[in-house]
């Protein structure tokens, strides 16, 4: 982070300096009292379960000398308890979370960089990563790490950007209306990317139309200087529906797109190859990450790169180096067993894409271990059954369904004629029987919604092979 003075922090948060020196500086933002240290600005956030004001004494004891608070009494008690009041700058705000967001917007105004925002029902983290690889071929580029894509994670990411950052790639997540609008207001992106409109979070948004409207909040602050890049589809992300005062760029497999994807070759766990045509020129790309769907994500990344003056050749070099964030189609192998770890999250679209990767990966048997998909509302049972049917249709040889609604996955597979399927309500039950199900030579896809903690299955399989 670029060093900020206490006065700048006060200005950026819209707060009032209660105590301290306006000319002191800070070089890091911290919201975790356990790691606060000298040089940090500690924001005492108030969440559903915890109020960080109660940890102010520990924060001051750690050497942190600048705090942003909304509870003046808690600050006074902590300062008195620590005996450090004279050495600490305290900024009082109405709401510490909102203050963090306002400071992020203020900080962006101090930097000279291009901002790319990525959202979508699925593929947004992969697209964020691929876009960063493309941009790094020419510019100093920073992005979110892990899953820091919400109303707290995006501001923290912004405030971690170094002063000489030239491109910031920011993934924006949401599960309710208005959340993308909040992030767009903070970031004011130059380029927006929408990967797709699927069924993720339909329980909270009511319909795919509701999901579409929520994702389009990304463009709420766009004008003629902005660019929206999207993966074209017939129902939602087409030129007629998403045209606006900004410039629109579409990627797809038909002649109606600005970037035309063709000749996708799927090498399973070894990645993909595809062609991309733009303005009459055809270029071939090799991507060392699995999944045909990543040709679309990569095309979006290339389109964003070209907007910044990156050539197709430079983009190809960047994509050839790509590695995705952990637990997203990560291939692990040990003692003759290969695991496709896609445990970060799950939706119907991403389930199908992961099954496709499984079926393109060589092994003696292809096994799908699939958990519940959350937030599908009243469509949940139907969508789980359809996934089971899809797995059977694609030729999965053995299916394991885990979770309450996942029973419908097993039923759907059985209806399509899959003879080998197992259902367990809890993953612990599967782990008890795992040794009798998994064999050397198997290729195993493990996937489910984040709350299912399917990564514990991956860990157990790997431990069993030691």
């Amino acid at each position: 982070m670029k060093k900020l003075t206490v006065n700048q922090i006060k200005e950026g948060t819209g707060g009032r300096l209660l105590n301290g020196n306006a000319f002191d500086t800070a070089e890091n933002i911290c919201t975790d009292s356990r790691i606060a240290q000298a040089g940090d600005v500690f924001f005492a956030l108030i969440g559903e379960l915890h109020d960080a004001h109660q940890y102010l004494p520990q924060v001051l004891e750690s050497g942190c000398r600048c705090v942003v608070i909304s509870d003046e009494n808690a600050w006074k008690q902590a300062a008195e308890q620590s005996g450090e009041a004279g050495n600490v700058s305290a900024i009082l705000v109405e709401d510490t979370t909102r203050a963090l967001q306002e400071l992020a917007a203020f900080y962006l105004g101090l930097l000279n960089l291009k901002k790319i925002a990525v959202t979508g029902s699925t593929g947004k983290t992969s697209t964020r990563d691929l876009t960063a690889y493309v941009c790094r071929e020419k510019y100093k580029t920073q992005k979110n790490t892990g899953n820091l894509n919400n109303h707290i994670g995006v501001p923290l990411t912004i405030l971690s950007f170094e002063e000489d950052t030239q491109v910031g790639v920011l993934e924006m997540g949401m599960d309710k209306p208005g959340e993308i609008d909040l992030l767009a207001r903070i970031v004011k992106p130059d380029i927006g990317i929408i990967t797709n409109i699927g069924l993720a979070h339909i329980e909270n948004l009511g319909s795919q139309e509701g999901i579409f409207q929520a994702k389009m909040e990304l463009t709420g602050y766009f004008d003629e200087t902005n660019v929206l890049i999207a993966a074209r589809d017939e129902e939602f992300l087409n030129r007629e529906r998403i045209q606006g005062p900004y410039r629109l760029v579409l990627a797809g497999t038909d002649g109606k797109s600005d970037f035309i994807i063709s000749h996708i070759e799927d090498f399973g766990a070894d990645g993909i190859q595809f062609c991309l045509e733009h303005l009459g020129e055809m270029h071939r790309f090799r991507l060392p990450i699995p999944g045909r769907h990543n040709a679309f994500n990569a095309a979006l990344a290339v389109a964003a790169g070209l907007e910044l003056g990156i050539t197709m050749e430079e983009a190809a070099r960047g994509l050839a180096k790509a590695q995705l964030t952990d637990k997203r189609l990560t291939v692990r192998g040990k003692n003759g067993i290969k695991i496709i770890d896609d445990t970060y999250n799950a939706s119907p679209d991403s389930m199908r894409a992961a099954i496709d990767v499984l079926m393109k990966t060589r092994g003696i048997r292809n096994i799908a271990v699939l958990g519940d998909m959350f937030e599908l509302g009243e469509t949940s049972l139907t969508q789980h059954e359809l996934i089971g049917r899809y797995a059977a249709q694609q030729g999965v040889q053995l299916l394991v369904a885990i979770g309450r609604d996942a029973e419908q996955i097993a039923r759907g597979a059985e209806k399509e004629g899959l003879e080998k399927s197992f259902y367990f309500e809890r993953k612990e039950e599967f782990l008890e029987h795992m040794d009798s199900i998994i064999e050397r030579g198997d290729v195993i896809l493990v996937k489910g919604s984040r709350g299912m903690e399917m990564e514990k299955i991956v860990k157990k399989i790997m431990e069993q092979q030691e």
Side-chain angles (χ1 to χ4, degrees):
M1 184 181 93
K2 169 185 169 72
K3 279 189 178 182
L4 296 177
T5 66
V6 169
N7 193 55
Q8 285 177 309
I9 297 166
K10 177 181 75 70
E11 180 184 351
T13 59
R16 177 166 61 90
L17 186 61
L18 291 179
N19 191 76
N21 185 345
F23 299 102
D24 284 345
T25 60
E27 53 190 3
N28 185 54
I29 303 298
C30 181
T31 60
D32 187 340
S33 61
R34 296 167 295 182
I35 59 174
Q37 58 186 354
D40 289 354
V41 182
F42 178 74
F43 277 74
L45 303 184
I46 301 175
E48 293 181 5
L49 301 177
H50 299 288
D51 181 347
H53 288 86
Q54 64 183 303
Y55 304 117
L56 286 173
Q58 296 96 300
V59 169
L60 299 185
E61 288 171 11
S62 72
C64 180
R65 292 296 173 263
C66 183
V67 296
V68 178
I69 48 99
S70 60
D71 185 338
E72 188 172 356
N73 289 330
W75 147 250
K76 289 179 178 177
Q77 291 172 10
E80 183 177 341
Q81 180 179 331
S82 68
E84 295 287 349
N87 301 318
V88 177
S89 297
I91 298 169
L92 179 67
V93 298
E94 290 187 11
D95 183 308
T96 48
T97 298
R98 189 167 66 245
L100 179 69
Q101 295 162 355
E102 295 296 335
L103 182 62
F106 173 85
Y107 183 72
L108 278 177
L110 301 178
L111 304 180
N112 181 24
L113 81 170
K114 289 292 185 180
K115 299 160 289 184
I116 303 173
V118 183
T119 193
S121 293
T122 59
K124 52 186 174 291
T125 303
S126 299
T127 303
R128 175 202 74 189
D129 291 346
L130 295 174
T131 302
Y133 276 106
V134 168
C135 293
R136 283 173 184 157
E137 287 301 300
K138 190 168 184 177
Y139 303 107
K140 178 168 183 179
T141 302
Q142 292 190 257
K143 64 180 180 67
N144 325 61
T145 57
N147 61 344
L148 292 176
N149 66 1
N150 65 5
H151 66 294
I152 293 174
V154 170
L156 286 175
T157 297
I158 291 167
L159 290 162
S160 72
F161 284 175
E162 295 171 11
E163 185 174 2
D164 58 348
T165 301
Q166 295 171 293
V167 176
V169 185
L170 292 159
E171 175 190 346
M172 296 181 176
M174 51 127 263
D175 59 17
K176 296 180 181 65
E179 292 179 335
I180 295 294
D181 178 75
L182 169 65
L183 298 177
R185 178 182 62 78
I186 294 169
V187 175
K188 300 286 177 43
D190 300 290
I191 300 170
I193 299 176
I194 302 180
T195 60
N196 53 39
I197 305 297
L199 296 175
H201 309 304
I202 197 169
E203 183 175 27
N204 296 332
L205 290 148
S207 65
Q208 268 191 289
E209 178 65 29
I211 294 169
F212 167 68
Q213 295 296 338
K215 297 300 183 185
M216 286 299 292
E217 291 173 5
L218 183 65
T219 66
Y221 302 89
F222 278 15
D223 58 26
E224 66 278 1
T225 65
N226 296 99
V227 181
L228 175 64
I229 301 170
R232 186 187 179 281
D233 66 36
E234 290 294 336
E235 187 173 0
F236 295 105
L237 300 177
N238 56 67
R239 207 171 295 279
E240 293 72 25
R241 288 212 69 182
I242 61 176
Q243 192 68 262
Y246 41 82
R247 191 155 52 82
L248 179 61
V249 175
L250 296 177
T253 54
D254 60 9
K256 297 180 181 179
S257 298
D258 304 287
F259 288 80
I260 302 173
I261 304 161
S262 64
H263 300 90
I264 303 174
E265 297 178 68
D266 192 337
F267 307 113
D270 294 325
I272 62 170
Q273 187 170 277
F274 66 97
C275 291
L276 195 59
E277 181 182 349
H278 178 61
L279 297 178
E281 293 187 19
M282 181 85 77
H283 293 263
R284 185 175 295 276
F285 293 82
R286 182 65 190 259
L287 202 58
I289 58 175
R292 291 177 62 88
H293 61 286
N294 277 314
F296 292 84
N297 296 335
L300 299 173
V302 172
L306 263 63
E307 291 295 329
L308 299 180
I310 294 168
T311 66
M312 285 277 206
E313 291 78 10
E314 290 169 331
R317 288 202 300 269
L319 291 177
K321 303 170 185 175
Q323 295 180 353
L324 295 186
T325 298
D326 196 27
K327 297 184 178 64
R328 290 169 175 84
L329 291 175
T330 304
V331 181
R332 310 176 189 277
K334 206 167 193 181
N335 293 338
I337 288 179
K338 189 176 289 184
I339 304 170
I340 301 171
D341 180 356
D342 200 24
T343 57
Y344 176 73
N345 217 331
S347 69
D349 290 336
S350 66
M351 277 283 197
R352 291 185 181 89
I355 290 169
D356 290 344
V357 172
L358 170 66
M359 298 313 299
K360 285 290 184 178
T361 303
R362 291 182 180 179
I364 295 175
R365 293 191 305 173
N366 298 95
I367 299 176
V369 181
L370 306 179
D372 279 349
M373 299 177 288
F374 294 162
E375 296 185 3
L376 294 178
E378 60 186 24
T379 71
S380 184
L381 297 183
T382 298
Q383 292 299 328
H384 281 83
E385 179 180 328
L386 289 173
I387 290 301
R389 287 180 178 272
Y390 187 80
Q393 291 164 359
Q394 298 307 110
V396 169
Q397 292 160 285
L398 189 151
L399 184 141
V400 178
I402 300 172
R404 187 189 64 184
D405 289 357
E407 183 175 7
Q408 300 303 316
I409 297 178
R411 289 185 178 178
E414 290 166 4
K415 288 178 181 178
E416 286 293 328
L418 182 63
E419 296 180 359
K420 294 185 178 180
S421 67
F422 299 88
Y423 168 67
F424 302 95
E425 187 173 352
R426 298 165 55 248
K427 60 179 170 290
E428 290 76 15
E429 296 170 4
F430 165 65
L431 294 174
E432 291 175 6
H433 296 85
M434 187 176 69
D435 289 346
S436 64
I437 296 174
I438 293 174
E439 302 173 359
R440 186 182 296 268
D442 287 341
V443 178
I444 308 162
L445 166 66
V446 184
K447 186 168 180 62
S449 277
R450 189 72 200 93
M452 290 296 293
E453 298 182 325
M454 300 290 282
E455 69 274 8
K456 292 182 178 179
I457 294 175
V458 175
K459 181 180 179 183
K460 191 69 174 179
I461 294 173
M462 295 295 288
E463 289 175 350
Q464 293 289 85
Q465 304 310 310
E466 293 180 351

